[in-house]
Amino acid sequence: MKYKTTNGDGLKRLATWNRVDVSFSISGSVLENSPEGTHIVRIDAGDPDVGDQLRYTIVHGNSASLFKLDPNVGVLSVNAGMSSQLKYVPGQSAWHKVVVAVDDGVSTPVEVDVHVTIVDTNEAPYFTVINDNPFTS
């Protein structure tokens, strides 16, 4: 980013500083019981400095390790072995908030909230066999 400033001598100077551009809230959704590796959302960040390599990390909200994040491209997906943990439970929160940091290795990392909604899938009905049959002797 560039801006103009003046100092005590009244001369205008052009100065730049390093920053990473990222929106402050991102949303994605995933079907309950989605398999490992299912992409949920990609976090796109930009840096005006040529050559800066951006790195993405989860800094909060993933204590159950439901999600994994590609540190190079910012893709949030279902983590290995976690598909059975992604459940939609009626009456409970159907979303998770994960905080992701984007870092260019020079400036202070920028954090963004990622809201992941777990979408209910329609399960087929099933019968339950009850062993206490009153018609047997």
Side-chain angles (χ1 to χ4, degrees):
M1 175 169 239
K2 297 180 179 180
Y3 70 98
K4 290 183 180 178
T5 185
T6 59
N7 60 10
D9 62 9
L11 296 175
K12 292 192 180 205
R13 305 206 188 284
L14 188 61
T16 64
W17 71 86
N18 197 9
R19 69 182 175 90
V20 176
D21 293 325
V22 67
S23 69
F24 292 102
S25 181
I26 297 173
S27 301
S29 62
V30 63
L31 293 175
E32 66 177 334
N33 299 316
S34 289
E36 169 191 348
T38 300
H39 289 191
I40 300 167
V41 67
R42 179 176 177 178
I43 297 114
D44 285 321
D47 189 328
D49 299 316
V50 177
D52 281 356
Q53 180 69 30
L54 299 179
R55 300 287 293 172
Y56 301 85
T57 55
I58 297 174
V59 294
H60 182 69
N62 196 30
S63 60
S65 298
L66 295 174
F67 311 106
K68 65 181 175 182
L69 181 68
D70 184 311
N72 298 311
V73 295
V75 173
L76 186 71
S77 57
V78 176
N79 202 4
M82 290 295 119
S83 64
S84 64
Q85 302 299 316
L86 288 174
K87 296 279 187 198
Y88 175 87
V89 180
Q92 293 185 9
S93 176
W95 60 274
H96 299 270
K97 178 179 145 187
V98 179
V99 179
V100 172
V102 182
D103 187 4
D104 66 0
V106 179
S107 60
T108 303
V110 176
E111 294 183 356
V112 62
D113 293 342
V114 180
H115 298 273
V116 179
T117 302
I118 309 301
V119 179
D120 187 22
T121 57
N122 186 23
E123 291 89 7
Y126 58 90
F127 290 101
T128 303
V129 177
I130 302 174
N131 291 332
D132 45 330
N133 186 346
F135 301 108
T136 60
S137 50

